[in-house]
Amino acid sequence: MIRVRAVRGFPVFLATMFPLLLVLVVSIPLSSGAQIPNQGQAKDPPVATNGEPFPWDRMRLPITISPLHYDLTIHPNLTTLDFTGVVRISLDVQEDTSTVVLHAKQMHISNVVLLAPEGIRPLRVLEYPRFHQLALLSDSVLTKGRKYEVQLEFAANLSDSFHGFYKGSYRTSSGEVRAIASTQFEATFARGAFPCFDEPAFKANFTIRIIREPRHIAISNMPKVKTVELPGSLLEDHFDTTVKMSTYLVAYIVSDFLSVSKTTNHGVKISVYAVPEKIDQTAFALDAAVKLLDFYDDYFDIPYPLPKQDLAAIPDFQSGAMENWGLTTYRETGLLFDPDRSSASDKLGITKVIAHELAHQWFGNLVTMEWWNDLWLNEGFAKFMEFISLDITYPELHVDDFFLGKCFEAMEVDSLTSSHPVSTPVENPTQIQEMFDDVSYDKGACILNMLRDFLGPEAFEIGIIRYLKRYSYQNTVNSHLWESLTDICSSDALDEGRMKHTEFCSKHKLQSGSSKWYSDDELDVRAIMDTWTLQEGFPLVTVEVKGREIRLSQERFLRTDNPSLTEGFLWQIPLTYMTSASNTVHRFLLKTKTDVLYLPEDVDWVKFNVNMSGYYMVHYAGEGWNSIIKLLQYNHTAISGNDRASLIQNVFQLVSVGKVRLDTALELSLYLSKETEIMAVTQGFGELVPLYKLMEKRDMTVLENQMKGYIVDLFRNLIDRQEWSDSGSVSERVLRSYLLLFACVRNHPPCVAKATQLFNQWKDSDGTMSLPVDITMAVFVIGARSPEGWDFLFEKYRTSLQMSVKSRIKSAMTVTYLQDKLKWMMEQSLHGEVMKTQDLPDVVVSVGRNPHGYKLAWDFLRANWHTLIKKFDLGSHSVSYMVIGVTNQYSTREMLQEIRSFFDSLTEETGSKMRCIQQTYETIEDNIRWMDTNLPLLQAWLNKHQLRRPHEDL
């Protein structure tokens, strides 16, 4: 599943400024059951809704019975917005029992029977809504090894949220509102659509039938095999039986979508579905899906096991996308592309999302984590494979330019005490939802990239193919992956391998270890990687050069004023480094708290973590930072753009933990006036912009404007060199969008003048004039400053069918000075008619980062809290994104107390224990410490280094 981080078309780096899912006579109604953050066992003996003792007291289901096959018939009514169904589940009884415990949530259950070898018998039903569980009680024992089935009829309303079997709608260009019904079951929402064993390890086959009206179509995981006419002018579509899979991957959609199709080189039919008026925006996604599925088929050396793969653009969708096997679902902005109106960042984003979901067809679907504590085995791998696949299939996208940002984002949350290990215990649905965070996705991808760099790309590829083949259609834990990556040239591994594997091992043997930088006794992959997955945080490696000695030490990097919290952590760190003496990348596995390396000659500088392939920060003690600053000032291209970006990130982050003085970091930033590469430039903005964002919420106008002026001056030459066109590589185009938007927001006169001219011309043409796509955000932001311009933009937003255009307009509208417009946007997004509720988190966070709107966003979040957690779900990425995004730029004790007061007033049922709240407190406390320590230094440094420039109204 892809989480939504920023609005498509709005550079993700701008998150620093604005942000861019028994025969019963009476039926039993299942209550919703709050998703309470408790432990996996009921505190008191569980009592069913009828007052009887409930026979199971744990949140995880018993393993006495497993499902083998589901026969599922669903009949959604898109007029009354409800559905009915019947499910027959074939059971594998592994221990004698008289109770079947499974999941169901918010539905009426009726006509529950056991189909046993001796005949059909009624079952009594008990409900325990706290854990979303049903107990089916038999008056005779179900015997181990015998064949049984249970059948349940059920009915429920289509969900008002974005999960389960939920209702959606879209508006045609003529104004007609049309309803659709679609599913989103990850992580724990299949139980709201049909009774089931809703845990990832309970894999089974599914045979699905969907009843619909003739005006609609139905699609599901597998191809349709036939359609049967039913009384009442209804049709029943029968779908082929699925492969063995987890409940969270089941999917079905009833809609009036149209589709376009192609076939891959391996014979898989690819189809893209969208609402009729947007079907002409599907060609790019269709071609990308064909190319990427063929790539994965070859790369993994395991044929995609289904005959088709559908990609559906859903008008109402909370996540970015979802990997349902054979029917991946997406936000419209994540799939639809108009060659004339979509930007370079749109193309990059859409291709990455498709690559992510198709990688899941192997990592996640074919091989699935045993439980949600190892979600990273799904999401970290899919995030990592986005970059591996696109580097080969779409080299023109220069996807490597953007990987580093994922590691920086992960480090932001992983440097707090409230972080968690990549693999961490979870029990209840809220805790499970919270696992879909930067640690599981981005840190997971970054430590995999580090391991690939450590083992070598070929050995790593062989190991993960071995993992996929060994555990196909099964469930895994961390250790299964590490075992597959160990001893890949053993006789057992070669028996499992392919020709490429054998050739690699033969070559490896002939070289007698010369291709390895590690010795065999070091290559305990599990021992190394357990230090990265079973403990939270990441290391700070301190490097001090003394003559030809390099003294190394490691500690946890932690933003705290309590040094004792950094104790007790030790990583096995695959260090890489280069020196002024040669371009050779040297390697060393640091296993201990301290160590010493010896150089063959004196050097002017050393740079550790080459290209930042490792998930760690580096502090250059002694004269180390001064030598780095000198290198960047006089010969910055001696090291790569990624190396420069990592130095910028490291030095500013080290200021926050008191390892480096702020003036040292600012002296390093001066070299940025010569920088042109996207990752280093955007990381410079990423470290400098938040400094004035803190001041905006403290009414420190003079210092704030000095800081803004410094940043504009630093990048003035690069900004002024940008053409107002769509020329150049993807990275150059994304950087252009970013720079011009920043310059216009900061009132750089040439930018404001050009954007004003273009906006007026575009407005005079009633929006028909063709603007270069890459500069539209800058133009729209300037236009949105006046009431007339804002209203014109809104009218174009309301009528546009191009999703990327709508996204850019919406983002620009949140940057306006007009507070009444900002408040109206949040209210309309919550209402969901004119502006989609799925976009509300982006709108709220963007308003929260607007200096004219941050108070409005905080008031809105508080006033609508209970509505928001019901719509977006406790623990979801959407809720945490709003909480953190609205609060993380505050830096006063008064505001911290106000925020604490609100969140302390909540109950567990309404989110008081969510991790994002603790992260919020820690972030504000860190901001307070930073401002207390560094404001005088910042003022003094800016006064000293103030550059002459024309007066600008900043």
Side-chain angles (χ1 to χ4, degrees):
M1 183 163 66
I2 284 276
R3 308 149 307 145
V4 176
R5 293 200 59 89
V7 180
R8 181 69 56 234
F10 203 43
V12 73
F13 324 107
L14 279 178
T16 54
M17 294 190 285
F18 333 101
L20 282 203
L21 142 175
L22 142 100
V23 179
L24 296 174
V25 178
V26 182
S27 58
I28 298 178
L30 293 191
S31 58
S32 64
Q35 297 190 354
I36 300 170
N38 55 19
Q39 298 308 306
Q41 189 167 5
K43 294 175 183 175
D44 301 310
V47 178
T49 50
N50 66 357
E52 292 185 36
F54 192 78
W56 185 250
D57 68 350
R58 296 182 181 274
M59 190 163 287
R60 299 276 296 271
L61 296 179
I63 57 173
T64 50
I65 289 180
S66 299
L68 296 172
H69 182 266
Y70 293 79
D71 265 305
L72 174 63
T73 301
I74 294 277
H75 179 194
N77 186 320
L78 296 191
T79 303
T80 57
L81 300 177
D82 53 18
F83 64 94
T84 57
V86 59
V87 63
R88 180 183 293 196
I89 310 172
S90 302
L91 304 176
D92 177 19
V93 180
Q94 293 162 20
E95 293 179 24
D96 290 359
T97 183
S98 58
T99 306
V100 179
V101 181
L102 71 166
H103 289 113
K105 180 185 174 186
Q106 282 183 290
M107 58 178 62
H108 286 76
I109 303 291
S110 60
N111 298 336
V112 182
V113 297
L114 175 72
L115 291 83
E118 53 271 17
I120 299 176
R121 298 202 304 268
L123 294 173
R124 208 156 61 82
V125 181
L126 298 179
E127 177 215 349
Y128 188 53
R130 182 180 178 85
F131 289 173
H132 311 151
Q133 289 174 357
L134 293 179
L136 313 182
L137 308 181
S138 171
D139 53 13
S140 61
V141 172
L142 281 63
T143 307
K144 177 181 178 180
R146 299 186 71 190
K147 300 295 182 186
Y148 299 91
E149 294 179 324
V150 290
Q151 181 171 294
L152 307 90
E153 294 180 13
F154 55 93
N157 292 321
L158 289 169
S159 173
D160 287 324
S161 67
F162 295 105
H163 44 257
F165 193 20
Y166 70 95
K167 62 187 178 187
S169 65
Y170 71 93
R171 191 182 298 271
T172 67
S173 56
S174 63
E176 178 191 356
V177 176
R178 296 183 182 178
I180 68 167
S182 58
T183 58
Q184 170 61 42
F185 290 162
E186 191 177 33
T188 59
F189 301 113
R191 64 192 65 173
F194 61 96
C196 57
F197 296 78
D198 197 15
E199 295 179 6
F202 287 116
K203 290 191 171 186
N205 304 99
F206 296 81
T207 303
I208 296 173
R209 300 178 184 87
I210 298 176
I211 299 171
R212 60 175 172 87
E213 297 177 61
R215 65 194 173 107
H216 294 131
I217 64 162
I219 52 177
S220 186
N221 303 84
M222 296 296 286
K224 184 172 67 174
V225 292
K226 66 178 178 179
T227 299
V228 177
E229 291 187 11
L230 300 180
S233 299
L234 294 174
L235 300 174
E236 184 179 72
D237 291 329
H238 293 224
F239 296 91
D240 208 348
T241 301
T242 70
V243 294
K244 189 178 176 184
M245 66 185 196
S246 305
T247 48
Y248 78 87
L249 295 171
V250 173
Y252 36 86
I253 301 169
V254 177
S255 69
D256 66 343
F257 289 175
L258 298 180
S259 66
V260 294
S261 302
K262 283 187 176 180
T263 302
T264 70
N265 292 334
H266 293 273
V268 179
K269 183 181 179 182
I270 307 287
S271 302
V272 180
Y273 287 81
V275 302
E277 290 182 311
K278 296 174 184 174
I279 197 67
D280 61 345
Q281 298 176 52
T282 56
F284 177 77
L286 180 62
D287 289 341
V290 168
K291 182 184 282 193
L292 284 162
L293 200 71
D294 272 333
F295 168 79
Y296 287 134
D297 227 314
D298 294 333
Y299 183 90
F300 295 133
D301 194 35
I302 301 172
Y304 175 74
L306 309 187
K308 62 95 172 175
Q309 171 63 239
D310 297 336
L311 299 84
I314 312 294
D316 292 291
F317 201 74
Q318 179 179 344
S319 306
M322 177 62 206
E323 66 265 22
N324 318 296
W325 214 344
L327 173 51
T328 51
T329 47
Y330 303 77
R331 277 196 177 201
E332 289 184 322
T333 48
L335 201 63
L336 303 181
F337 182 86
D338 181 337
D340 298 322
R341 310 291 291 278
S342 298
S343 68
S345 58
D346 293 329
K347 177 181 281 191
L348 176 68
I350 289 168
T351 317
K352 283 175 61 182
V353 170
I354 294 171
H356 184 104
E357 302 313 324
L358 295 186
H360 269 310
Q361 307 303 297
W362 285 264
F363 279 103
N365 299 9
L366 182 68
V367 180
T368 312
M369 77 270 137
E370 189 170 289
W371 182 244
W372 299 105
N373 62 304
D374 280 328
L375 173 68
W376 84 277
L377 289 173
N378 282 19
E379 298 299 350
F381 254 113
K383 175 61 66 178
F384 173 71
M385 288 307 301
E386 289 176 30
F387 293 89
I388 297 296
S389 62
L390 296 187
D391 188 45
I392 295 169
T393 56
Y394 286 89
E396 71 275 13
L397 293 180
H398 299 290
V399 73
D400 278 352
D401 288 346
F402 304 95
F403 183 77
L404 208 53
K406 300 287 100 184
C407 305
F408 294 152
E409 287 168 14
M411 285 176 165
E412 275 292 307
V413 296
D414 211 17
S415 61
L416 301 173
T417 58
S418 53
S419 187
H420 63 89
V422 168
S423 179
T424 197
V426 290
E427 288 289 344
N428 67 60
T430 299
Q431 293 169 344
I432 292 167
Q433 285 284 88
E434 287 186 315
M435 287 296 287
F436 291 82
D437 67 356
D438 288 346
V439 172
S440 295
Y441 284 71
D442 297 340
K443 180 178 179 179
C446 293
I447 63 174
L448 287 170
N449 184 60
M450 178 173 65
L451 181 59
R452 180 175 183 258
D453 186 68
F454 173 79
L455 297 175
E458 285 182 290
F460 181 82
E461 180 183 338
I462 288 166
I464 61 173
I465 292 168
R466 183 185 181 194
Y467 168 77
L468 289 172
K469 288 186 173 182
R470 183 182 286 184
Y471 296 107
S472 291
Y473 303 104
Q474 298 178 54
N475 296 83
T476 59
V477 296
N478 256 348
S479 57
H480 293 140
L481 176 60
W482 310 141
E483 289 161 8
S484 299
L485 285 159
T486 302
D487 296 332
I488 61 167
C489 291
S490 67
S491 56
D492 288 347
L494 286 169
D495 289 343
E496 300 171 9
R498 56 176 174 171
M499 183 63 70
K500 185 176 178 182
H501 187 166
T502 305
E503 289 173 354
F504 171 82
C505 292
S506 298
K507 177 183 172 185
H508 188 72
K509 187 175 182 181
L510 284 171
Q511 289 178 342
S512 302
S514 61
S515 65
K516 301 188 299 182
W517 61 271
Y518 48 82
S519 60
D520 288 328
D521 66 333
E522 284 183 310
L523 191 55
D524 184 342
V525 175
R526 180 173 181 173
I528 295 168
M529 296 309 294
D530 278 354
T531 69
W532 296 94
T533 60
L534 301 184
Q535 60 183 354
E536 69 271 24
F538 60 91
L540 168 64
V541 176
T542 297
V543 174
E544 186 168 13
V545 179
K546 294 278 190 180
R548 294 187 184 180
E549 277 187 1
I550 303 179
R551 298 177 184 177
L552 305 171
S553 63
Q554 62 162 296
E555 62 188 292
R556 183 181 175 188
F557 181 92
L558 191 64
R559 288 186 284 164
T560 179
D561 54 1
N562 184 354
S564 67
L565 295 176
T566 65
E567 295 171 2
F569 290 85
L570 186 69
W571 286 264
Q572 293 196 26
I573 312 171
L575 297 179
T576 56
Y577 64 98
M578 57 190 293
T579 74
S580 58
S582 82
N583 291 325
T584 303
V585 176
H586 305 275
R587 298 175 181 272
F588 177 71
L589 186 65
L590 179 63
K591 293 182 173 183
T592 52
K593 197 78 172 173
T594 61
D595 213 326
V596 179
L597 300 176
Y598 297 94
L599 297 168
E601 57 195 311
D602 291 335
V603 296
D604 296 326
W605 53 264
V606 294
K607 167 64 174 74
F608 272 71
N609 203 358
V610 177
N611 285 318
M612 202 172 160
S613 57
Y615 185 72
Y616 59 93
M617 285 191 198
V618 182
H619 171 41
Y620 299 91
E623 288 298 305
W625 279 112
N626 289 335
S627 64
I628 293 287
I629 290 169
K630 194 177 297 182
L631 168 68
L632 292 175
Q633 285 290 353
Y634 295 106
N635 188 20
H636 69 284
T637 57
I639 55 176
S640 70
N642 275 3
D643 276 323
R644 302 195 297 272
S646 71
L647 288 170
I648 295 163
Q649 190 258 3
N650 285 188
V651 76
F652 277 94
Q653 293 304 310
L654 287 166
V655 171
S656 69
V657 295
K659 295 284 187 181
V660 172
R661 283 174 55 92
L662 176 61
D663 43 8
T664 301
L666 291 168
E667 287 293 329
L668 184 144
S669 75
L670 286 168
Y671 105 90
L672 284 166
S673 62
K674 299 179 288 188
E675 186 59 81
T676 59
E677 291 198 26
I678 186 168
M679 199 62 240
V681 170
T682 53
Q683 197 56 39
F685 278 106
E687 300 299 339
L688 294 168
V689 167
L691 305 191
Y692 75 69
K693 297 303 291 183
L694 294 178
M695 298 172 207
E696 283 180 344
K697 294 178 174 59
R698 277 198 174 195
D699 299 322
M700 305 175 67
T701 309
V702 175
L703 184 57
E704 172 194 328
N705 286 340
Q706 267 188 285
M707 188 66 207
K708 290 174 179 175
Y710 171 66
I711 300 171
V712 172
D713 276 332
L714 200 57
F715 294 103
R716 181 189 302 271
N717 290 337
L718 188 59
I719 290 167
D720 290 345
R721 290 205 303 270
Q722 299 304 308
E723 298 175 3
W724 291 66
S725 71
D726 287 336
S727 61
S729 69
V730 169
S731 293
E732 289 168 340
R733 292 180 61 186
V734 171
L735 182 59
R736 175 187 299 123
S737 298
Y738 182 61
L739 288 167
L740 293 178
L741 175 57
F742 173 81
C744 282
V745 169
R746 290 280 60 83
N747 295 312
H748 183 48
C751 185
V752 173
K754 182 70 172 178
T756 302
Q757 175 195 350
L758 288 171
F759 182 79
N760 289 336
Q761 292 172 352
W762 182 70
K763 184 170 177 285
D764 291 343
S765 75
D766 195 30
T768 59
M769 171 184 156
S770 180
L771 290 169
V773 176
D774 296 339
I775 57 95
T776 51
M777 270 299 295
V779 172
F780 293 163
V781 160
I782 294 300
R785 289 181 171 177
S786 71
E788 301 76 24
W790 196 97
D791 289 342
F792 182 78
L793 281 165
F794 173 69
E795 185 58 25
K796 293 303 154 190
Y797 169 87
R798 194 180 63 79
T799 57
S800 177
L801 290 173
Q802 276 76 33
M803 298 314 300
S804 56
V805 174
K806 287 176 79 84
S807 288
R808 286 195 293 278
I809 291 175
K810 181 175 83 272
S811 297
M813 289 161 60
T814 65
V815 188
T816 186
Y817 300 160
L818 307 169
Q819 292 187 327
D820 58 325
K821 302 294 190 184
L822 297 173
K823 189 174 180 182
W824 185 87
M825 277 189 80
M826 291 190 291
E827 291 167 349
Q828 289 302 311
S829 298
L830 181 62
H831 194 53
E833 286 192 13
V834 181
M835 307 187 88
K836 287 284 189 183
T837 303
Q838 66 177 18
D839 297 329
L840 178 62
D842 284 319
V843 171
V844 170
V845 172
S846 291
V847 172
R849 288 173 178 163
N850 182 333
H852 303 276
Y854 63 88
K855 292 177 182 174
L856 300 175
W858 170 237
D859 290 343
F860 179 87
L861 186 71
R862 285 188 294 180
N864 295 285
W865 179 258
H866 296 286
T867 304
L868 295 172
I869 61 173
K870 182 179 179 183
K871 185 71 176 178
F872 293 103
D873 205 59
L874 274 186
S876 70
H877 183 259
S878 297
V879 170
S880 65
Y881 179 57
M882 285 187 282
V883 169
I884 294 168
V886 167
T887 61
N888 69 355
Q889 291 173 349
Y890 286 113
S891 63
T892 64
R893 290 168 179 82
E894 294 75 18
M895 202 60 215
L896 176 59
Q897 182 54 44
E898 183 177 316
I899 290 167
R900 274 191 188 276
S901 177
F902 171 70
F903 287 124
D904 286 351
S905 73
L906 302 177
T907 63
E908 286 193 37
E909 291 88 344
T910 56
S912 66
K913 301 295 185 186
M914 286 192 299
R915 185 183 291 120
C916 64
I917 294 173
Q918 189 58 42
Q919 289 173 338
T920 290
Y921 297 159
E922 285 191 66
T923 300
I924 298 174
E925 288 164 353
D926 183 53
N927 292 344
I928 292 170
R929 283 194 302 273
W930 195 98
M931 295 291 267
D932 288 349
T933 303
N934 293 302
L935 272 184
L937 282 170
L938 180 62
Q939 180 73 73
W941 191 89
L942 287 173
N943 288 342
K944 180 181 174 185
H945 289 272
Q946 191 73 49
L947 303 174
R948 282 190 227 155
R949 71 188 195 282
H951 175 72
E952 295 178 12
D953 179 16
L954 294 173

